């Protein structure tokens, strides 16, 4: 039996032994005697009586074991022209002092801190400072607008919000502070204090008594030590889109998270202490949490924090420049980034300008890696290119080609095989497991391994209701796909209302809710349609209220602006069409799937349950004009 098959088998047959062994990879104040607590199944807890601190494992222990002068974090910002390098000792200094700032503002174990930041080192410092105090961070992606931030503030109820004066999008300065002020105005939860990083590109106006400047607070602060927490105490809340209009707060614990991520870096990504890992994502997404911040630092590796884009900052050689300049061994990003590079530099001419001798692996996730991009990247880079599949909920890959354990021949279009700990199965809609080659819903047999979500913040029943109730004993991923006869997993896309736009996860339901709030709109449908660059983009079809006589083009552009203003520019909603009616089933359900098929040019039978077939036909020229 190969190393992969052996590890996977052990992980599902004897998870206690497998993860008990992996737990040795981190430092505990009190080692867990219970590895897997199944007494409250279908809810499981990992390392229930263990006591540890995630920040200690990510920083202090490396300083104590001889890595004080090794680089922990390299901030590379082509948008500001800054490169800043922090050793583990320097990171410890900043994090322990910022923990002092937070404590001075009343943050203690279990309190929440919302972090709404661009990709600057202070974002990472703030996250780790929360972990140091046993406080719970909730990072909100900087591309979200004030309304999204307000929703998260009301749900997480933070003691403090940490932000910056601005972000920089290529060459545009995006003021963050007015967004924060608007969010605090909209939110009902009162936030006592905000810490603001004043960036040289813009100085924010501070609110007396509420806001403090990062640098002033830091110069007055004293260092604070790590607070021991239970392995099962929450480390963070990360909001993600689901089928409903409201984002849900995925909760992750401390102990299971540290063990899983520490195990994953060498085994999946073949990256080891002292080596350089670059996740070209954003700290606001799960990839950023796990693979910009926690996994590389828990491992004692060097992480790259990149404030730039794959193209335009300044050119399509950005990936190769960063890899060469910082000796990156493993790059992890989204396929959309590679498609952007391919579009600008189809022959990959920029590659030859850089020394990529340290570069060994490319990992892609966030959306399905289309076979064309897979082949283009493989031919160009001559390193293994790995599509791997995961979600905010799991926090680390469910399926991958495990480069550090046993590399396998890649198959274009496949995320390779289930990662140890994940017992992946395919079921049909009726709840019956289907054989290889048959498409179905992808489920994972419980218990999920360490590192996966432990609950939904603020509503404990939601976790079971959304993820565990459809097929008892199995976790519902929300994705569809199949295994082939060699055991390779093909993930084909979401089976719910979630869409992936340039690697950003969005809910069509949430966009619909914003559109429906416009006074002229009677009803609407938002669908995700295929897009060559971004994978998917949203399109909206709206029916106006009777008696509305305003110009359709004006209403359509108001709706584009409304979504941009309330959700954020990342929604990338550019096309809204006013139509006479929406196709529905006899029970009144809008036939979004049929509309999407027409827009994507996919043949699909008209559902027999349709109430108004002519309506669907009438939409054809709108959805697919050519
Ligand atoms: N703050 C403020 N605005 C932001 C933002 C942020 N953090 N991130 C994106 N935006 C804005 C962009 O400026 C853009 O605004 P515009 O409509 O005014 O031009 C809009 O949101 C859409 O952004 P994006 O989807 O990123 O599209 P783009 O055309 O600017 O760039 C790519 C396209 C493919 C280059 C880019 O999406 C990319 O790098 N994707 C990789 C994503 C990724 O790594 N995801 C993480 C999963 S691993
Ligand atoms: P997020 O929670 O933002 O990480 O988005 C998770 C969703 O992105 C998954 O449920 C999938 O729909 C999609 N996704 C992520 N990685 C892949 C992949 N490698 N292949 C196919 N879909 C993916």
């Amino acid at each position: 039996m190969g190393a992969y098959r052996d590890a996977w088998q052990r992980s599902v047959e004897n998870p206690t032994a497998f993860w008990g062994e992996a737990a040795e990879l981190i430092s505990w104040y009190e080692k867990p005697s219970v590895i897997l607590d199944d007494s409250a199944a279908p809810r499981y807890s990992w390392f229930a009586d263990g006591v540890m601190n995630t920040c200690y494992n990510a920083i202090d222990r490396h300083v104590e074991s001889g890595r004080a002068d090794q680089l922990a974090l390299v901030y590379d910002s082509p948008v500001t022209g800054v490169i800043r390098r922090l050793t583990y000792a320097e990171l410890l200094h900043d994090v322990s002092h910022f923990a002092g700032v937070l404590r001075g503002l009343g943050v203690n174990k279990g309190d929440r801190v919302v972090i709404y930041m661009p990709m600057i080192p202070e974002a990472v410092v703030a996250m780790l400072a929360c972990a140091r105090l046993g406080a719970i961070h909730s990072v909100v992606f900087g591309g979200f607008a004030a309304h999204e931030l307000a929703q998260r503030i009301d749900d997480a109820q933070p003691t403090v919000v940490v932000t910056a004066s601005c972000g920089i999008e290529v060459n545009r300065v995006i003021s963050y502070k007015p967004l924060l002020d608007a969010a605090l105005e909209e939110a009902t939860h009162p936030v006592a204090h905000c810490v603001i990083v004043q960036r040289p590109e813009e100085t924010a106006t501070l609110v007396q008594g509420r806001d403090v400047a990062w640098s002033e607070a830091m110069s007055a602060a004293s260092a604070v030590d790590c607070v021991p927490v239970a392995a099962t105490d929450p480390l963070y809340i990360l909001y993600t889109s689901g089928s409903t209009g409201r984002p849900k707060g995925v909760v992750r614990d401390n102990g299971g998270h540290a063990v899983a991520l520490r195990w994953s870096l060498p085994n999946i990504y073949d990256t080891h202490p002292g080596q350089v890992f670059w996740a070209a994502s954003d700290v606001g997404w799960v990839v950023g949490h796990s693979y910009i911040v926690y996994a590389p630092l828990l491992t004692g590796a060097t992480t790259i924090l990149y404030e730039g884009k794959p193209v335009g900052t300044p050119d399509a050689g950005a990936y190769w420049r960063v890899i060469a300049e910082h000796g990156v061994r493993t790059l992890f990003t989204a396929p959309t980034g590679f498609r952007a590079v391919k579009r600008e530099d189809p022959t990959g001419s920029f590659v030859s300008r850089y020394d990529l001798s340290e570069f060994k692996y490319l990992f892609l996730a966030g959306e399905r890696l289309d076979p064309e991009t897979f082949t283009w990247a493989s031919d160009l880079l001559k390193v293994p290119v790995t599509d791997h599949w995961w979600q905010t909920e799991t926090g680390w890959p469910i399926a991958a080609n495990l480069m550090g354990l046993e590399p396998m021949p890649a198959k274009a279009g496949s995320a390779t095989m289930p990662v140890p700990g994940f017992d992946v199965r395919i079921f049909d809609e009726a709840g019956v497991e289907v054989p290889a080659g048959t498409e179905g819903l992808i489920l994972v047999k419980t218990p999920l391994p360490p590192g996966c979500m432990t609950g939904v913040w603020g509503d404990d029943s939601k976790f079971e209701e959304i993820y565990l109730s459809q097929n008892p004993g199995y976790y519902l991923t929300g994705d569809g796909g199949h295994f082939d006869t060699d055991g390779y997993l093909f993930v084909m896309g979401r089976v719910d209302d979630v869409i992936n736009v340039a690697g950003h996860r969005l809910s069509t339901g949430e966009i619909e809710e914003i559109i429906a709030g416009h006074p002229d709109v009677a009803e609407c449908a938002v669908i995700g349609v295929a897009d060559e660059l971004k994978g998917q983009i949203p399109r909206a079809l709206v029916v106006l209220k009777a008696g509305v006589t305003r110009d359709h083009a004006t209403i359509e552009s108001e709706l584009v602006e409304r979504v941009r203003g309330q959700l954020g520019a990342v929604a990338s909603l550019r096309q809204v069409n006013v139509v006479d009616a929406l196709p529905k089933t006899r029970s009144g359900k809008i036939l979004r799937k049929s509309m999407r098929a027409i827009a994507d040019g996919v043949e699909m039978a008209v559902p027999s349950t349709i109430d108004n077939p002519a309506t669907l036909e009438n939409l054809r020229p709108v959805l697919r004009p050519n």
Side-chain angles (χ1 to χ4, degrees):
M1 203 189 281
Y4 161 73
R5 185 52 54 193
D6 177 48
W8 186 85
Q9 206 80 37
R10 275 198 304 129
S11 75
V12 295
E13 281 170 7
N14 194 347
T16 298
F18 188 88
W19 292 112
E21 215 172 276
E24 299 290 333
L25 293 166
I26 71 154
S27 293
W28 300 87
Y29 299 118
E30 285 171 38
K31 281 198 172 182
S33 65
V34 182
I35 302 301
L36 175 63
D37 178 2
D38 59 4
S39 58
R43 306 289 291 270
Y44 296 84
S45 317
W46 289 98
F47 316 116
D49 59 349
V51 178
M52 47 81 72
N53 181 284
T54 297
C55 180
Y56 176 81
N57 276 278
I59 312 179
D60 302 57
R61 82 165 173 151
H62 304 310
V63 171
E64 290 164 14
S65 65
R67 295 191 183 278
D69 298 328
Q70 183 200 303
L71 290 182
L73 184 146
V74 176
Y75 165 60
D76 185 312
S77 171
V79 296
T80 58
V82 173
I83 292 181
R84 193 176 148 207
R85 296 178 171 85
L86 277 102
T87 63
Y88 271 98
E90 288 164 339
L91 187 61
L92 177 59
H93 175 273
D94 287 3
V95 169
S96 57
H97 282 78
F98 194 63
V101 171
L102 290 177
R103 176 161 292 166
L105 295 174
V107 176
N108 287 302
K109 187 174 158 185
D111 293 339
R112 275 80 56 215
V113 174
V114 162
I115 299 172
Y116 180 60
M117 296 279 255
M119 287 282 286
I120 55 177
E122 288 85 349
V124 179
V125 169
M127 291 166 76
L128 291 161
C130 291
R132 194 169 189 84
L133 294 174
I136 303 166
H137 61 69
S138 186
V139 182
V140 178
F141 174 57
F144 281 133
H147 172 68
E148 291 290 314
L149 180 58
Q151 281 193 337
R152 287 155 173 81
I153 287 172
D154 273 341
D155 198 70
Q157 308 206 331
T159 309
V160 167
V161 176
V162 185
T163 191
S165 55
C166 65
I168 297 145
E169 278 291 296
V170 189
N171 46 20
R172 255 183 321 141
V173 171
I174 313 263
S175 307
Y176 274 38
K177 186 61 180 10
L179 297 174
L180 171 65
D181 290 340
L184 292 176
E185 184 74 24
E186 181 183 331
T188 51
H189 170 73
V191 173
H193 294 290
C194 301
V195 184
I196 322 288
V197 178
Q198 296 282 21
R199 302 190 74 183
E201 293 74 17
E202 181 166 295
T203 304
T205 311
L206 304 189
V207 174
Q208 277 273 321
R210 187 195 74 186
D211 300 344
V212 290
W214 175 287
S215 55
E216 282 163 33
M218 282 292 262
S219 51
S222 337
V224 162
D225 213 346
C226 295
V227 174
V229 298
T232 50
D233 282 340
L235 170 68
Y236 70 75
I237 309 166
L238 180 56
Y239 288 87
T240 191
S241 304
S243 292
T244 61
R246 282 204 155 258
K248 48 185 185 268
V250 165
V251 178
R252 187 128 26 242
D253 65 8
N254 274 276
H257 172 255
V259 171
L261 292 188
R262 179 64 187 87
W263 186 89
S264 74
L265 210 68
N267 285 289
I268 300 178
Y269 299 95
D270 194 22
T271 303
H272 305 270
Q275 296 180 334
V276 183
F277 190 88
W278 178 23
S281 176
D282 189 288
V283 288
W285 304 114
V286 68
V287 172
H289 280 62
S290 295
Y291 291 102
I292 295 174
V293 184
Y294 288 110
L297 297 178
L298 286 163
T299 303
T302 300
T303 187
I304 308 287
L305 184 75
Y306 176 68
E307 189 182 27
K309 300 264 177 182
V311 294
T313 57
D315 55 37
Y319 283 142
W320 332 129
R321 198 263 308 156
V322 174
I323 290 171
E325 195 157 341
H326 307 300
V328 171
R329 174 181 176 82
T330 310
L331 167 63
F332 174 177
T333 191
T336 185
F338 263 72
R339 288 197 297 269
V341 174
K342 181 166 69 133
R343 193 163 75 167
E344 273 199 18
D345 181 22
T347 60
S349 62
F350 279 94
V351 168
S352 59
R353 302 185 194 177
Y354 298 98
D355 172 9
L356 302 188
S357 53
E358 302 281 324
F359 182 47
K360 299 288 180 270
Y361 302 105
L362 172 63
F363 282 81
L364 296 164
E367 54 173 323
R368 180 164 182 260
L369 174 57
D370 52 289
E372 202 188 319
T373 306
F374 168 78
T375 307
W376 183 81
S378 304
D379 291 349
L380 180 68
L381 297 170
K382 315 229 166 3
V383 298
V385 175
T386 296
D387 178 15
H388 62 325
W389 168 58
W390 52 303
Q391 327 181 295
T392 303
E393 288 86 343
T394 63
W396 65 295
I398 310 166
N401 199 337
L402 287 98
M403 287 295 152
L405 191 59
E406 185 189 355
M408 316 219 171
K411 286 194 191 188
S414 169
T416 316
M417 305 221 176
V419 164
F422 291 96
D423 188 355
V424 178
R425 310 288 182 95
I426 313 289
F427 279 67
D428 66 16
E429 295 278 354
V432 178
E433 198 167 345
V434 298
T438 309
E439 201 77 12
L441 307 174
I442 312 181
L443 290 104
V444 183
K445 195 167 186 297
T446 54
L448 296 175
C452 296
M453 74 186 287
T454 53
V456 174
W457 182 257
D459 188 346
D460 219 32
S461 61
K462 274 253 160 65
F463 181 38
E464 280 170 51
E465 187 187 313
I466 300 172
Y467 299 101
L468 303 174
S469 63
Q470 184 164 321
N471 296 69
Y474 295 86
Y475 162 82
L476 183 71
T477 65
D479 282 300
H482 65 271
F483 278 110
D484 73 4
T485 46
D486 295 329
Y488 280 64
L489 181 66
F490 290 74
V491 181
M492 305 309 289
R494 298 288 304 195
V495 294
D496 55 14
D497 300 328
V498 168
I499 56 173
N500 271 284
V501 180
H504 310 313
R505 174 167 163 179
L506 302 170
S507 152
T508 54
E510 189 171 4
I511 302 174
E512 284 178 3
E513 217 172 272
I514 295 171
I515 290 177
H518 187 286
D520 291 345
V521 172
E523 60 175 349
C524 67
V526 172
I527 52 172
V529 301
D531 180 77
E532 214 173 284
L533 174 67
K534 298 196 177 188
Q536 276 184 306
I537 47 165
R539 283 196 56 185
L541 300 164
V542 302
V543 177
L544 300 181
K545 285 179 182 159
V548 173
T549 52
R550 296 174 65 223
D551 174 45
H552 287 183
T554 307
I555 297 173
E556 286 164 358
S557 57
E558 281 172 10
L559 291 170
V560 167
E561 274 316 305
R562 189 178 170 90
V563 171
R564 202 179 160 86
Q566 289 196 22
L567 200 155
V570 281
S572 297
L573 177 71
R574 304 244 189 278
Q575 197 177 350
V576 177
N577 291 99
V578 171
V579 297
D580 292 334
L582 296 171
K584 292 183 185 171
T585 62
R586 281 185 282 279
S587 59
K589 210 168 160 263
I590 297 174
L591 290 163
R592 293 179 181 78
K593 214 168 160 183
S594 303
M595 290 192 277
R596 202 174 70 202
I598 294 175
D600 289 347
V602 175
E603 277 309 313
M604 188 182 151
V606 175
S608 57
T609 51
I610 191 166
D611 186 41
N612 46 359
T615 310
L616 188 61
E617 271 316 302
N618 292 343
L619 288 185
R620 227 169 247 286
V622 177
L623 290 166
R624 203 169 172 80
N626 310 315

